[in-house]
Amino acid sequence: MERHLGGLERQFHQQNLIGSTHMCGTLRFQGIFDEERLRQAVKAISIAYPLLRTSVVADPYLRFSLQDALPEIPVAFIDREDDEHWRRVVEKELIRQFKPGEGLAYFHVLRGKDAFDIIFTVNHCVVDGLTAGLVCRNLLLSYNGEAIKPEALQTSMEARFPRIFRGVIGWLLTLRFIWSLIRLGPSLQVGTADLTYNTLSQGFTFHKPKELNRLARERGSNLFAVISAVILQSVYELYGKSEVEPVSLNTPVSLRPGIGASVDEFGVFLAGHIAVYKVQKNTDTWALAKECYETLNKGLKKGNPFLLAKLASGPRKPRIVEVKPNISDRRPTINISNMGRVEPFPLMGTAAVTEHRAAAAQSVRDPFAFTLVSYQGRMFIDLQSSEEKLGRDQSLTLIRTVEKNLDRLLQP
């Protein structure tokens, strides 16, 4: 079960040495649970996914190692204080330091009288957001006594790239791609130059994603594109200083279809797509949404996420990363992760999942990141922001501005 880290896995590992890019998946339940059955389910997950119990070591290349691994993933049971308790746990978990011998994952269970929350924290160097949701789904199946059969551990995604993105041709395409990134030019920057060491969590529930998606489709885009447009405009509304501002958007996208990875396969299978949009006060939201939709599709067709994944590869040997506290005008203004529409989770005994929330800490340079999850007819929009760069008040203003501007689109 041991193997060397892939390129993007190494990059996430390096980032975690100086900050944190963990993933947190939260399942919110109505009902009750049996603690001993849940402990047994965690044991089953620990056996099914041994990589979650490993540590990252060097020999001299970075690899996942089961040496001194924990017998099972740790789980903490805590009395639920209030309905927002899970956010306070997430804020601490996003910056958890997984030391050698401590594994790469952790479960928290917030138990209440007739409601409870399960929070799954996992180092981003071993999974992406979709994989974190898969682990949570299998936890519920195991609790119900169902056998889980995860896909066998495969090689890292870079080894499975389409041939055109490897070898000499692959690097020629990469050089051309680098030039296209240079031509994007600088973009609007938000927040101070302070590095991020603490992450805040805020968000809201959007109750009419189907209606908004229908309107977006009628105008040549889709739900994610129009929400991206609203976030771009909201950032301009709060932070734009010029009549026209270039606002950079980084959108993680799944590479599973492109490398032949199944929906049940465990690991990191994502890359990013970067684009710069010109935003001004009178920008039409629907026109901007169509531009977002078309730009992303063109980038996917050209394979830009594969090329960006190659550029984001971290070093094979461990090294100390030094990040100076200065503002780069090439830092992405906005990061938005879209988990898409999540299929209903099975019951956990008699308890039902009412909400599925996702969170990902940003790098030490980025001021904030949005995560979107559609579940059972609602969309959960959460903002993870830098306490050092923005602070709680500015972050709250940003998320409320996005909510206000989304609601405005649905007004007659």
Side-chain angles (χ1 to χ4, degrees):
M1 301 304 293
E2 302 197 4
R3 68 163 173 83
H4 289 122
L5 274 68
L8 207 58
E9 294 166 343
R10 297 193 300 266
Q11 177 67 14
F12 289 141
H13 170 69
Q14 292 292 102
Q15 289 182 11
N16 282 329
L17 296 179
I18 54 176
S20 176
T21 57
H22 296 329
M23 311 296 295
C24 283
T26 301
L27 300 183
R28 314 202 68 202
F29 293 82
Q30 284 292 324
I32 59 174
F33 70 95
D34 180 274
E35 185 171 317
E36 183 55 34
R37 281 177 66 183
L38 185 51
R39 289 186 185 275
Q40 293 303 316
V42 171
K43 287 184 180 180
I45 290 294
S46 303
I47 295 171
Y49 299 105
L51 209 59
L52 294 175
R53 297 182 285 114
T54 65
S55 295
V56 178
V57 299
D59 66 344
Y61 301 124
L62 292 170
R63 65 180 172 89
F64 296 112
S65 174
L66 278 169
Q67 185 176 359
D68 300 323
L70 295 173
E72 62 186 69
I73 301 168
V75 56
F77 290 84
I78 305 171
D79 289 337
R80 195 172 187 247
E81 296 174 358
D82 53 52
D83 197 52
E84 288 292 297
H85 189 181
W86 69 276
R87 283 201 188 277
R88 298 192 291 276
V89 173
V90 165
E91 288 181 342
K92 293 181 179 179
E93 287 300 288
L94 286 172
I95 58 173
R96 170 182 286 274
Q97 292 296 313
F98 288 106
K99 299 176 182 178
E102 294 182 350
L104 298 173
Y106 204 102
F107 283 103
H108 278 81
V109 182
L110 307 184
R111 52 193 176 194
K113 183 178 180 180
D114 54 5
F116 62 95
D117 305 311
I118 296 178
I119 302 167
F120 176 53
T121 307
V122 60
N123 193 311
H124 201 356
C125 77
V126 70
V127 304
D128 55 29
L130 293 178
T131 307
L134 167 67
V135 173
C136 291
R137 189 176 298 274
N138 282 336
L139 177 73
L140 271 58
L141 292 175
S142 180
Y143 179 94
N144 294 334
E146 298 184 40
I148 54 176
K149 298 179 180 179
E151 292 278 342
L153 180 64
Q154 302 289 333
T155 56
S156 61
M157 71 168 181
E158 289 85 358
R160 301 155 66 182
F161 277 1
R163 183 171 298 178
I164 192 173
F165 299 111
R166 293 182 283 158
V168 175
I169 295 178
W171 281 110
L172 289 175
L173 291 174
T174 303
L175 291 173
R176 188 174 70 176
F177 178 61
I178 292 173
W179 174 241
S180 71
L181 292 179
I182 294 173
R183 292 178 60 191
L184 289 177
S187 58
L188 175 67
Q189 297 300 301
V190 176
T192 68
D194 297 324
L195 301 181
T196 296
Y197 296 107
N198 295 282
T199 301
L200 306 174
S201 175
Q202 292 159 316
F204 65 93
T205 302
F206 182 58
H207 293 276
K208 296 183 178 180
K210 291 182 179 179
E211 291 90 332
L212 186 59
N213 188 42
R214 177 180 56 78
L215 292 174
R217 290 293 188 186
E218 290 173 356
R219 292 162 173 80
S221 64
N222 63 5
L223 180 62
F224 177 58
V226 73
I227 291 178
S228 297
V230 167
I231 293 175
L232 286 164
Q233 288 181 298
S234 299
V235 169
Y236 172 82
E237 178 182 334
L238 294 175
Y239 298 102
K241 298 177 181 178
S242 303
E243 184 177 343
V244 179
E245 290 280 11
V247 184
S248 174
L249 172 60
N250 178 39
T251 306
V253 295
S254 176
L255 295 181
R256 287 177 182 268
I259 63 173
S262 72
V263 295
D264 294 331
E265 193 171 334
F266 182 89
V268 177
F269 302 107
L270 87 164
H273 177 271
I274 296 178
V276 173
Y277 300 91
K278 303 291 185 180
V279 184
Q280 55 189 318
K281 188 175 182 180
N282 62 351
T283 296
D284 179 71
T285 303
W286 300 110
L288 182 57
K290 186 175 182 180
E291 183 183 356
C292 290
Y293 179 75
E294 293 175 348
T295 301
L296 177 58
N297 285 339
K298 288 178 182 177
L300 294 175
K301 187 175 182 180
K302 291 190 293 186
N304 288 348
F306 289 102
L307 301 174
L308 194 61
K310 291 182 68 172
L311 292 179
S313 296
R316 297 180 67 192
K317 293 186 178 182
R319 64 180 177 87
I320 298 176
V321 180
E322 182 181 2
V323 179
K324 297 180 180 180
N326 55 50
I327 295 180
S328 167
D329 60 7
R330 298 303 180 104
R331 182 185 71 189
T333 314
I334 302 168
N335 292 279
I336 307 177
S337 295
N338 180 27
M339 304 299 170
R341 185 174 63 85
V342 177
E343 292 298 318
F345 284 91
L347 292 175
M348 188 173 128
T350 58
V353 176
T354 58
E355 296 183 15
H356 175 34
R357 315 298 282 253
Q362 66 282 354
S363 74
V364 293
R365 287 189 177 277
D366 295 336
F368 58 82
F370 286 90
T371 53
L372 316 177
V373 180
S374 296
Y375 185 68
Q376 292 190 327
R378 294 176 293 168
M379 172 170 278
F380 302 104
I381 301 178
D382 289 294
L383 172 68
Q384 295 80 58
S385 57
S386 166
E387 184 175 26
E388 291 78 9
K389 289 180 178 296
L390 286 185
R392 195 172 294 276
D393 289 344
Q394 283 196 63
S395 301
L396 184 59
T397 298
L398 176 56
I399 195 70
R400 284 179 173 173
T401 302
V402 171
E403 183 177 18
K404 173 198 69 176
N405 290 336
L406 274 176
D407 289 338
R408 184 178 296 166
L409 284 180
L410 293 171
Q411 292 176 1

